Amino acid sequence: QVQLVESGGGLVQAGGSLRLSCTASTYIFNVATMSWYRQAPGKQREYVARITSNGFTSYADSVKGRFTTFRDNAKNTVYLQMNSLKPEDTAVYYCNAKRGLAQDYWGQGTQVTVSS
């Protein structure tokens, strides 16, 4: 059973920073593409950032230049460093681990609230 445990959410003022963490419980971390998604109230879940098993990263246009994702394979952990936060970044942030079509796992989500 693959588990993804997220942490690091909270309340921050606009312009501030937060770092989210997502730790995978099994070997899948080293071979999976790790992604971050978010879901704001009343909106659909949207893609935020991604890092492949070999370290290639990509970002949604809305966060490019402000968010950075990186992974520590020794700790089975992926991070999302969020700087220059805006109120529109307020959402529940989810971690995803994906390998092929059959292996697709989600974390429980962590709340990020940015006050204006």
Side-chain angles (χ1 to χ4, degrees):
Q1 179 74 18
V2 174
Q3 290 187 332
L4 302 177
V5 179
E6 298 152 354
S7 62
L11 173 64
V12 64
Q13 288 188 333
S17 298
L18 282 175
R19 178 178 291 186
L20 307 183
S21 301
C22 172
T23 300
S25 63
T26 71
Y27 74 94
I28 192 173
F29 180 84
N30 290 330
V31 295
T33 291
M34 303 297 296
S35 301
W36 293 93
Y37 289 77
R38 66 187 182 187
Q39 188 167 18
K43 295 187 177 181
Q44 290 189 333
R45 191 173 297 189
E46 65 175 4
Y47 163 75
V48 175
R50 173 177 297 125
I51 183 166
T52 66
S53 58
N54 59 8
F56 177 80
T57 57
S58 63
Y59 300 90
D61 287 343
S62 59
V63 307
K64 203 171 291 184
R66 300 187 298 121
F67 290 11
T68 302
T69 188
F70 56 98
R71 58 197 296 163
D72 185 338
N73 288 342
K75 296 182 178 179
N76 285 0
T77 299
V78 62
Y79 302 92
L80 183 68
Q81 177 66 42
M82 305 184 294
N83 299 329
S84 303
L85 283 161
K86 305 174 182 180
E88 51 263 44
D89 294 319
T90 295
V92 177
Y93 283 71
Y94 296 91
C95 175
N96 173 266
K98 187 174 178 67
R99 183 190 182 198
L101 297 177
Q103 294 178 302
D104 190 355
Y105 307 98
W106 292 90
Q108 81 284 358
T110 185
Q111 177 71 47
V112 171
T113 303
V114 184
S115 63
S116 56

